Amino acid sequence: MPHIVRVLAVLTLTLSLSPWGAAAHAGPAAAVPEPPVAVTEPVTDRASALGGRRAEVEAAIARLRGRHGVRLYVVYVRSFSGLDATDWAATTARLSGLGPLDLLLAVATGEGRYAVSADQAFPLSGAQLDSVAATAIEPELRHSDWAGAPIVAAREYDAVLASAGTVSAWNGPAHGPRQGRAVPIPDRSWG
């Protein structure tokens, strides 16, 4: 059975003028394309975005997995190689063999774009996943807090899964499979 990916939200980010955000767009290194890649670890940081916060991100991911069996994978690159963010994330999820309890957050720091990918059978609804993207991931990315996005997202996924009564012994969705879709979020500027 082929892996079916559900891609949620894409946001083209205008990074703040903080030194960290400006550095993400500085020079030719910011535009180095990264093709989709098979991920084997929870964090893949090809953009050197995390600095000293990698352990903090990994701890948040481990807590989510320990409480609900959900594996969150985070991939940072500078560029999505000219691909649409949703296509890049979907291809990376497929190459990685991600399954029904896996989420992929892909962030292109040099382009200011991201996408979240989940299998059709993931235990949360599309609306729940979209809500976490809008309330947890996007605010952190708007402030160029590359580590904050998955940390806050892991906490929000945990809260939503807990309120839905989903546990690590999850045996499948109570509803049928969902159709994959992409939800574009309008460009936003801040300063």
Side-chain angles (χ1 to χ4, degrees):
M1 175 177 229
H3 180 77
I4 300 172
V5 177
R6 178 179 178 359
V7 180
L8 299 173
V10 178
L11 171 69
T12 302
L13 302 168
T14 304
L15 298 174
S16 67
L17 297 178
S18 71
W20 196 20
H25 287 295
V32 175
E34 296 279 348
V37 59
V39 295
T40 57
E41 297 184 25
V43 178
T44 303
D45 187 6
R46 293 185 167 194
S48 300
L50 292 178
R53 297 185 67 192
R54 182 184 189 103
E56 191 180 349
V57 172
E58 289 173 342
I61 291 169
R63 278 190 300 276
L64 178 65
R65 184 171 186 187
R67 288 178 49 95
H68 301 286
V70 170
R71 294 183 302 181
L72 173 61
Y73 293 88
V74 185
V75 181
Y76 300 93
V77 293
R78 292 193 185 275
S79 167
F80 286 138
S81 295
L83 295 176
D84 178 77
T86 57
D87 293 339
W88 197 97
T91 301
T92 294
R94 184 182 48 75
L95 290 172
S96 304
L98 300 188
L101 289 179
D102 298 331
L103 290 166
L104 175 77
L105 168 59
V107 180
T109 61
E111 296 176 349
R113 296 187 299 142
Y114 84 98
V116 173
S117 174
D119 190 88
Q120 276 188 313
F122 192 77
L124 298 179
S125 71
Q128 289 169 313
L129 292 169
D130 291 344
S131 177
V132 172
T135 62
I137 296 170
E138 293 171 19
E140 300 302 315
L141 294 179
R142 279 190 204 108
H143 293 101
S144 303
D145 188 350
W146 310 123
I151 291 168
V152 176
R155 274 188 243 142
E156 288 297 313
Y157 291 131
D158 177 29
V160 175
L161 287 162
S163 71
T166 306
V167 296
S168 59
W170 180 75
N171 290 320
H175 46 77
R178 297 186 302 266
Q179 294 297 317
R181 65 187 173 90
V183 179
I185 309 268
D187 292 352
R188 295 187 178 116
S189 296
W190 54 89

